Amino acid sequence: MPKEELLEIEGVVIKIIPGGKYLVLLPNEMEIEAHLNGKMRRNKINVLVNDRVTMQMTPYDLTKGRITFRHK
């Protein structure tokens, strides 16, 4: 049985929350709490406020996500 499909959504970081989390604003004006995935953390990629990011979300919990890419 395959894993569930992850939703890929683009958003903008609006706030950095202590504990390695970020508040991301989606195009539909929803705010999602997200954290960095392991490769971004391992390669020390900095994500700042107003950065455009791509994140993955599971269809089971639409309030949390994982940042997978930072756009330039």
Side-chain angles (χ1 to χ4, degrees):
M1 201 166 147
K3 281 184 152 181
E4 78 275 353
E5 290 293 319
L6 296 175
L7 306 171
E8 292 236 344
I9 300 174
E10 286 191 17
V12 177
V13 176
I14 57 173
K15 186 177 179 184
I16 299 174
I17 303 171
K21 298 195 179 195
Y22 301 88
L23 205 58
V24 179
L25 182 67
L26 301 181
N28 61 358
E29 302 300 322
M30 228 173 121
E31 293 180 355
I32 302 295
E33 188 176 303
H35 63 276
L36 293 179
N37 68 348
K39 281 190 175 184
M40 290 182 73
R41 199 176 292 142
R42 185 172 58 230
N43 292 321
K44 297 180 180 147
I45 295 177
N46 291 329
V47 177
L48 303 173
V49 176
N50 294 330
D51 280 349
R52 199 165 49 97
V53 295
T54 300
M55 45 182 258
Q56 293 178 341
M57 296 171 55
T58 178
Y60 298 113
D61 188 6
L62 298 175
T63 62
K64 296 178 183 159
R66 178 186 315 126
I67 298 174
T68 57
F69 189 76
R70 178 182 153 248
H71 298 277
K72 297 202 176 203

